[in-house]
Amino acid sequence: MMMTIAMAIIPDTQIAAWQHPEVLRQMAKWIVDHREDYRIEMVLHLGDVVHLGANDERQFQDAKAALDMIDEAGVPMLIVPGNHDYDNLLNEDRSLDMFRHYFGVSRLAGREWLRGLYEQGKPENAYAVIESNGLQLLFIALEFGPRDEVLAWADGLLATYEDHHAIIVTHCYLYLDATPSKLGDEYNPRDYAGAEGANDGEEMWKKCFRKHRNIIAIYSGHQIPYSISYSVAIGDHGNPVFQSFQNWQGADKGGSGRFRLVTMNGQAGVLKHMVINPMLDGAEAGDGHEVEFCFREIDRSRLEQTKYSPL
């Protein structure tokens, strides 16, 4: 039996939600229409769903109307908040009332794939488990600049599900130069006054991610102006971890609904990445768009950091 499933990785939709909501609907429709073709078993939104936080509720309404198509089709979906999704854009604190209203626990109720939240009633730190086509997968979704206590929670999950392939998503992790974000990098989570206790990418790696041999990939958005960077890190057990940044918000129509489609072949131990442009109804060629990664062995050719300019 071929053990293959796919995941849709959606980065920053903020400009589309603000100015081109029809793009969000086209993106969601493409995912739903092609679910069976690619065996899409999970959708992961990397945050910055909207642009202006609680200052413009209409953006949340339009984004929800689009993403509801995915929920209604029964495709599992986790959504992490980006800095633009917080009520006051993280200028004051971590208030997420509007995000929780539109993308909160009510949309997750009764979903058997959802296994838990860090804090009751708060969807920003959640985890899901999927067993499909012979694969056992753990998905952990983390808040913007996760706090130490949140990383400790993730640490426990990764240990508990050590026999599952783990995929991590958070809004800010990998920087433009394909290294985890660190002090001195632009838009570091620590630079936001309201992001109390925030950890940046380098701290997440050192405090948690590097310790777990079952992590195979970490996906994030957030950065500008480039659109893609990726690299392979080596964990404490000698295990390769694929790290990927993607964000097309600066392209036409806020990215025209572009997202990464990741196919996972469990038998071969390979993640195959492509970029879907739903406005063109298919995969799109470009630097860094098509990337294969073997998580069962270290591919030395992928250890060199790479970065690409936007479309």
Side-chain angles (χ1 to χ4, degrees):
M1 178 178 65
M2 184 68 71
M3 297 186 291
T4 303
I5 67 164
M7 303 163 282
I9 312 291
I10 303 173
D12 310 49
T13 54
Q14 61 193 84
I15 303 303
W18 180 26
Q19 298 178 337
H20 303 283
E22 73 282 357
V23 166
L24 295 183
R25 295 192 294 271
Q26 184 70 16
M27 176 194 68
K29 184 177 185 301
W30 196 98
I31 291 171
V32 171
D33 288 349
H34 293 83
R35 178 188 183 182
E36 297 300 327
D37 298 339
Y38 290 95
R39 296 182 178 175
I40 300 174
E41 298 287 352
M42 175 59 78
V43 176
L44 300 165
H45 197 303
L46 302 180
D48 276 1
V49 181
V50 301
H51 188 54
L52 296 173
N55 297 313
D56 187 358
E57 189 169 4
R58 190 273 307 166
Q59 294 178 35
F60 279 97
Q61 293 168 343
D62 285 344
K64 184 178 186 301
L67 295 177
D68 274 353
M69 296 170 61
I70 297 172
D71 280 337
E72 291 166 3
V75 185
M77 177 168 58
L78 291 174
I79 305 171
V80 299
N83 52 296
H84 284 267
D85 298 319
Y86 287 82
D87 292 336
N88 55 64
L89 309 182
L90 287 174
N91 290 323
E92 301 171 16
D93 55 33
R94 287 181 178 267
S95 298
L96 265 179
D97 291 345
M98 192 165 290
F99 178 88
R100 291 171 186 154
H101 175 72
Y102 284 96
F103 301 110
V105 294
S106 60
R107 63 165 290 267
L108 299 172
R111 311 283 183 176
E112 62 179 17
W113 46 266
L114 181 76
R115 297 301 175 88
L117 308 171
Y118 170 64
E119 296 174 282
Q120 186 175 358
K122 299 180 179 181
E124 55 265 33
N125 295 294
Y127 77 99
V129 173
I130 291 179
E131 298 182 3
S132 176
N133 219 11
L135 291 167
Q136 293 182 310
L137 300 173
L138 168 67
F139 297 92
I140 302 179
L142 300 175
E143 65 189 8
F144 179 78
R147 297 158 286 167
D148 281 349
E149 53 267 37
V150 172
L151 290 180
W153 170 75
D155 213 32
L157 293 175
L158 289 161
T160 299
Y161 291 91
E162 63 181 355
D163 58 343
H164 287 54
H165 296 305
I167 293 170
I168 311 290
V169 292
T170 190
H171 183 59
C172 177
Y173 173 74
L174 202 66
Y175 193 58
L176 300 175
D177 63 359
T179 64
S181 63
K182 58 189 177 299
L183 292 179
D185 290 341
E186 286 190 297
Y187 311 114
N188 186 296
R190 288 176 166 269
D191 294 339
Y192 295 80
E196 183 179 357
N199 283 289
D200 58 25
E202 186 174 71
E203 292 166 321
M204 290 181 233
W205 175 257
K206 290 180 177 179
K207 292 180 179 182
C208 180
F209 302 158
R210 66 180 297 168
K211 297 185 295 183
H212 299 280
R213 66 169 73 246
N214 53 333
I215 297 179
I216 60 174
I218 306 167
Y219 296 96
S220 61
H222 182 58
Q223 303 298 156
I224 54 173
Y226 301 126
S227 58
I228 291 176
S229 68
Y230 63 88
S231 59
V232 176
I234 304 302
D236 289 349
H237 301 277
N239 55 300
V241 180
F242 187 75
Q243 307 174 123
S244 178
F245 150 75
Q246 44 275 299
N247 180 10
W248 290 276
Q249 72 180 80
D252 185 51
K253 294 185 177 180
S256 296
R258 290 179 180 87
F259 64 92
R260 270 207 188 278
L261 188 65
V262 184
T263 300
M264 179 178 180
N265 186 317
Q267 188 172 16
V270 171
L271 295 178
K272 181 178 180 181
H273 298 75
M274 64 185 80
V275 173
I276 299 297
N277 184 334
M279 309 301 285
L280 300 178
D281 193 27
E284 183 177 68
D287 288 339
H289 283 47
E290 296 181 355
V291 182
E292 288 193 10
F293 165 68
C294 181
F295 52 85
R296 287 187 175 166
E297 60 186 38
I298 299 175
D299 181 352
R300 295 292 174 185
S301 68
R302 294 296 183 198
L303 294 181
E304 294 185 4
Q305 298 159 9
T306 57
K307 65 180 181 180
Y308 299 92
S309 296
L311 297 170

